Amino acid sequence: MNRTAQLEKRFNDILRGKVPADARSYALFLEAICTQQDPAACINKITESSHGSSAVQAAMRHNTNSQFLNGTATTLLTYLFRATDLGDVLDQLLVAIVDPPIFWTAFSQAFDHGELNEPAQEAFAVLLLRLMCLTTGNTSCYRDFAKKPSILTRLLDSSQQTVKDIGYRIQHILSTFESGTPVDAVGGPGGRHDNDFDDFREISILPTADEILCQQPPFIRPSSVLEDPDGEATRTVDYLDNTFRLLREDMLYEMREEIQTAIGKKKGRHRGLTIDGVTLDGVYSGTDDRKTRWGIKLKCQDDFKLMKSVPDGQRKTYLEKDPAGVRILKHQSLVCILSENQIISLASVNRVETLLAEKPPVIVLQLEGQANIIKTLFQLQSSNAIRLIQIDTALFSFEPVLKALQKTQVIPLSEELLFWKDGNIIGSAAVTAARVTRPLAMNPSMDLKRLLELSSSIVLDKSQAASLLAGLTQKLSLIQGPPGTGKSFIGALLAKAIHDHTEQKILVVCYTNHALDQFLEDLMKIGIPDTSMVRLGSRANAQVAHLGIASQKKEYFSRSKADWAVINNLKTSSMIYCRDLETAMGKFMASKIDFMGILTYIEFREPTYFNAFHVPKYDDWGMTRVGKDGKPVDAEELIVRWARGFDAGQFKTDLNVRETQDIWTMPPDARRKVMERWKSEIYKILLEEICTLGTNYNECQDQLMRIFGEARVATLMGKRIIGCTTTGAAMFAQDIRAANPDVLLVEEAGEILESHVLTALGQNTSQMILIGDHQQLRPKVSNYKLTVEKGDGFELNRSLFERLVLKGFPHETLTVQHRMRPEISAFIRKLTYPDLMDAPKTQGRDDIRGVRNNIIFIDHTHLEGNDSRISDKDDEASSGSKQNTYEVEMVWKIVRYLAQQGYGTERLVVLTPYLGQLSKLQDALKRDNDPVLNDLDSHDLIRAGLMSSAERTSKKRIRLATIDNYQGEESDIVIASLTRSNESNDIGFMNSPERLNVLISRARDGLILIGNSRTFINARKGKELWGKFFELVKQGNYMYEGFPIKCERHPHRKVLIKSASEFDTLCPNGGCTEICDIMLNCGVHLCPLKCHQISDHSQMPCQHPYSGRCPVNHALKWKCHQSKPYPCPICVKEAERAEEKRKRELELELKQKQLDAIVDARERADALEQKIKDIDPARANAQKATARVSLSFGTTNLVPTIPPCNLQSNVPPPNPTLSSPPPKLQPKMKPSTTQTPSDSKQSKSQQPKPSSSRTSTSLMNASPELAAHQDLLHQEQVNGKKNSAIDGIMESTGLEDVEDTTEQLMHYLETARIQRLEAKAAREKALAALKRKQEEEERKREEAQVQQSLQQMGVCPGGHCWIKLSQGYRCAAGTHFMSNDQLMRQQEAALKKKQEDEERKREEAQVQQTLWQQMLMRQQEAARVRELEVKAAQEQALAALKKQEEEERMREEARVQQKSPQMGVYSAGFAWIKQSLYALAGKQAQ
């Protein structure tokens, strides 16, 4: 049988009373209820039946055990809660279930004790909320139950986000009852999470984790509520509240998207930095000389990936100056703190480069809100897996405005802004420039030159004069300026009139820095002096940078003694709070909660638990209680046993245990949760102290910043015009309000959010001028659900300007446009501005060269693609951005073609609606140019990871932008890629008439569009708008199936290019395919190129080829504009190769000779050394021979003994002398007497000492056999060659072979000298050739650099090479010329920039070196101090040691003195004096 059918039958039988509801049928009846398809119909049946409610009541209270509550009861309640639309009918059935409270008591107790599973906990929470919100009956019992700390804590601490959200709602209801405010159960402000309050001023700007995870929609009023006549009494309060909540919800949308992507709950690629494993490292409050608001320090576990390869000494520089390093944890960027992938909180980064440069890095985060701080610090201390995720949300653009809204109490001009009604009279301005308004009202067409002291004549048209009068006379004036009508010009005239003819101060506010700089430039041009203006904020361009607050001359500002006393008191208080804060944080980080601490806490907070854990010291008989170890039990005994899941042990029978059985019977899991709750509450007490100290410290810092900012306020007060962006107006709100501006002038008011204008209003603002156009693009928001286009009524992106215009507030409209040629302005005239007229200067302009029409729409059918890497905020229905490859390639070729027509890239702009197409266009245009994006588009592409912030190139720049971010700008020629082309005819946000209006109104002279017309005409939404547009396109014959080009030189040649590749074949040089055939400057040849746009060929070099041969029959080729090559390049190359070969051979030969000479010299030196060694034996032999001769002739001193000569010295050895001339030879005879030694000595002493010359002569005469001596003497006298060392050798040895050795050595030295001279000559020749070659290469490099510089300058759009002339350079096409002076100026500028870069690098290096030297000096000083300390310690130790030795010596001396009398050496008893021996006063000694 079918069980479902049986359950259906049982359900109906019980309701009809056919079957009684009893214990046997209760389970089946409840199951049968849950099987019904429609819960609402089922509940209606039950309540309409007389038996239904009672049957359900009986079934639900029959069984209340844990299994039933977690099973059948939960299933039934969950089923009933699905019928959310029934209201009172469902409440009636729920009351029947819980009253009488049999089921309710069991269910609530099970929840309180932690016995319910997660589905049952959710069912209980929903049931409790509905019971508390009952509109009938008494609900106090349910509120009282919810007030129990355990119940509310369990709800708020639940791991289920749904239960937690309900807990916050219940908490809010309880607070409203306590305050007496009637409870609004559904939809009212407050109660959704821990950061949702009735008063928007209590809401923290940064969201909490519960707010991010909250699944309930936020409280936001639709804009129509503000127009409700019944709400006028609270309209101002409601207006501020709703403005704040709308803007904050837009901020939260981006955060939620980023966080959900980062933690994996949403598909996508997270591009922010992720850091795992950080730990709490203390408090940061700035440096001693520069304090900041306090924050927490988190130490990373590992280094950043991007910084692992950065050297230690360059880490800080990398973070401060490198494009990649600067992006690491930007200042005031958002960080999400997670623990085990659960969100803890969000914090903002205080970027301290010194700490980030540490290894590992230390991050400083600033938290908001006491609850958020407590929760975050507790998790950081208790969790081991902390993770940081950088969130790429522009907090800086939201936070100042939101904070300013919270501080706003009064809205100036509220009568006009909030309470104006049709028919009301517009209030007059408090001060009017009567000297301007009166003459202008009488004669609107008068010349304003004298009236406003202008440099040129200015005559206004009727609409301009009316706008100027309205801005000068009305309390609130709205001036609408369609595209090109000169809105900024009227704004500048208004500022000039107010500045010159009143004493009022003007606050000028723009949306972007670019628009602000342009307007301030207009003010300077119109004659307002720079000294009257100041610019707040950064990122100013070079023209207005001097207007920045930092560049202003400091106004004299003095403080009294009382002021300095206040400052000193604040500094002292700040220092005390800072010290106490660091101490408290240190205690918290080191704290560990023990059982005794818990007992102390619950003694005062939960006495029931304390009583359950009280340990009596004695038992009933007065005996001390002891444990198993025999020692007395301590006071922690019972709480330790309870926490570990045990019973009371020996204390089971004690009265306090028996009275608290509900505590002692709790399951272990419930006990663990209670212990965790107590610990967290104890930590909370410590953390509350940290929060209090931090709040007090921050207040001191804020006051100090406010006081020291008074000097800036003094500067502002001295200026007549203050300029800033809307974000800057919120950031400097206090300073601006102190400066007290009278007039608020808002430029491009149609682009600015109402909240931004509201925060720019000062309390004393008496006049506001809004200049804009509500029919162009609206302000940008992130959350599409809050837009006008979504249609839900929130209308966040509706500007104040548009709201007032739509409300019917009177406004003036400018009617004459000065930008577009009439063909282009006709589009916006017929689509948007029927009264728009063209100024005379827009007519009669030249047509765009090279194309058939000034307006072109290229129609195609090539399908689009999807770029999932990035999405467009306004295109909510699309999962990613769009791109179209065909359109990208066509746009690239069109840009190149227009350059061939002579249009520089500065006259072009490329637009597209989609970021995906923008990225693809950027990649394509990089081939020829440098695509330049504005700040907003660059930010979007960098966030998506599609562009690097460090991309730079030297190519010619071309503007590239999305349509939305090009509003307010213009260009001569606009090329736009519409991108959308699909079979489903989906055009996304291109259905917006404002976007089309901006697109077709940016061009001055030419408009080229490319897209699929069928996709737009048949669009599901917006086809009426685009249908009208394409009808106008067809009427003007502007639509083509390709790019329609025409040849300027051959007008009959027209081509329709349908693909990018056809550009290279059909118009390769920017003309047609015909040959040029114009006579070149040579007067012989015609131009052989295909048609191009150069009309003057006189400067174009002829490229006609010539050929011939040189005298050695080498083939020669040259161009007509060149002369015949002479000398022959081939001959020159061969000669160069031969010369190089000869040089190489010569070098090898020289090297070989040098090597041989070295070897030969070594051999000769060895031989000479051997000869020297042979001298001593030879001398000995000579002495022996002399002795024999002396014996033969009867004399002993013929040849004296010669000492060994020193060959290593340049000083010759002493020359030997002869005692007397050699005697004549006598017959051999025996001498009669013998000479004694004394006689011999006497004879030697009496011998004269002749000079060396005489010695040499005597020696030669004495030894005629030694011809070598005669030859040597000849060399000395004739050739002048004299060497004392050789003379010494000759006189010492007298050997013939010494001459040979000496001559060989001298010949070798002479040969070496000649070789050196030859090598020197060859080397000089080779160096000269090398120098000539280097000079030639340097000349070629310089020429190449010149060519490259000329190419980079983009003087010749065709990219031709350049030919050097006497006066400068001419491009090969002959169309462009660059003089030497111009080139020199360009090169000097480049050189100057290079030198500046080098100087900057040197300065940075010097700073680094100085810092290093200072650090080294500090280290050296510290080392010196440590050395002195060690030395002092050593000296102290040595002194102590000496003192100890002296004391020991004294003790020893005393012992000696004491023993001396006992020895009886001397009986007189005198003292003893220590000497080498002990003696008595020098009289006796021992």
Side-chain angles (χ1 to χ4, degrees), residues 651-859:
F651 301 95
K652 287 180 183 179
T653 58
D654 286 11
L655 180 61
N656 62 321
V657 175
R658 285 186 282 109
E659 289 177 348
T660 55
Q661 280 301 303
D662 55 337
I663 295 176
W664 282 101
T665 56
M666 289 174 65
D669 185 60
R671 297 184 186 188
R672 180 181 56 80
K673 290 182 178 180
V674 171
M675 289 292 294
E676 290 177 354
R677 177 171 61 84
W678 288 338
K679 289 181 180 180
S680 64
E681 290 172 355
I682 294 172
Y683 273 127
K684 185 177 179 182
I685 295 173
L686 298 174
L687 293 172
E688 284 175 350
E689 180 186 6
I690 292 176
C691 292
T692 302
L693 291 170
T695 302
N696 294 336
Y697 169 80
N698 282 347
E699 288 177 355
C700 290
Q701 290 302 310
D702 293 343
Q703 291 184 50
L704 285 170
M705 288 180 63
R706 206 159 34 244
I707 292 173
F708 287 120
E710 291 174 355
R712 182 169 58 246
V713 173
T715 300
L716 296 181
M717 294 182 70
K719 303 295 181 180
R720 292 289 307 283
I721 297 177
I722 302 171
C724 61
T725 62
T726 54
T727 304
M731 291 177 63
F732 297 98
Q734 282 189 323
D735 295 340
I736 292 174
R737 287 172 182 172
N740 198 18
D742 306 286
V743 181
L744 174 63
L745 194 158
V746 184
E747 263 283 304
E748 293 292 355
E751 285 187 83
I752 301 176
L753 291 170
E754 185 165 353
S755 56
H756 288 220
V757 178
L758 184 61
T759 53
L761 281 169
Q763 293 182 353
N764 299 314
T765 302
S766 59
Q767 183 180 354
M768 181 162 66
I769 304 170
L770 300 178
I771 304 175
D773 184 9
H774 62 285
Q775 291 178 296
Q776 296 187 53
L777 285 168
R778 292 190 173 97
K780 299 176 181 62
V781 297
S782 300
N783 192 346
Y784 180 73
K785 296 177 182 178
L786 304 179
T787 62
V788 175
E789 291 78 7
K790 184 66 171 68
D792 291 344
F794 298 116
E795 301 180 349
L796 172 62
N797 66 333
R798 174 160 282 156
S799 65
L800 173 63
F801 187 96
E802 182 182 7
R803 181 172 71 80
L804 291 174
V805 170
L806 296 180
K807 192 177 181 179
F809 195 92
H811 66 282
E812 299 294 336
T813 303
L814 302 174
T815 57
V816 179
Q817 69 90 16
H818 305 263
R819 176 189 299 165
M820 299 159 278
R821 65 190 317 146
E823 304 100 289
I824 300 175
S825 64
F827 282 94
I828 61 173
R829 183 181 302 111
K830 294 177 181 178
L831 292 175
T832 311
Y833 308 103
D835 298 329
L836 189 66
M837 297 180 289
D838 299 321
K841 70 175 184 178
T842 63
Q843 302 177 2
R845 298 179 181 176
D846 293 338
D847 293 332
I848 303 300
R849 296 186 295 273
V851 293
R852 300 188 211 171
N853 225 320
N854 296 315
I855 301 174
I856 297 170
F857 186 91
I858 305 172
D859 195 17

Side-chain angles (χ1 to χ4, degrees), residues 1285-1317:
I1286 296 176
D1287 290 343
I1289 295 172
M1290 292 294 293
E1291 294 175 1
S1292 299
T1293 61
L1295 300 178
E1296 185 67 27
D1297 55 355
V1298 174
E1299 178 189 25
D1300 298 335
T1301 302
T1302 304
E1303 287 180 353
Q1304 291 175 2
L1305 180 60
M1306 294 177 66
H1307 180 266
Y1308 162 72
L1309 293 174
E1310 182 66 19
T1311 303
R1313 186 179 67 83
I1314 294 172
Q1315 289 175 348
R1316 283 198 302 272
L1317 292 175

Side-chain angles (χ1 to χ4, degrees), residues 164 390 446 606 727 845 881 902 914 935 956 979 1003 1024 1103 1268 1438:
K164 187 178 290 188
Q390 186 177 4
M446 68 177 297
E606 298 190 37
T727 304
R845 298 179 181 176
S881 190
Y914 288 94
D935 293 341
K956 198 152 189 181
T979 309
E1024 297 83 5
Q1103 303 292 331
L1438 184 60

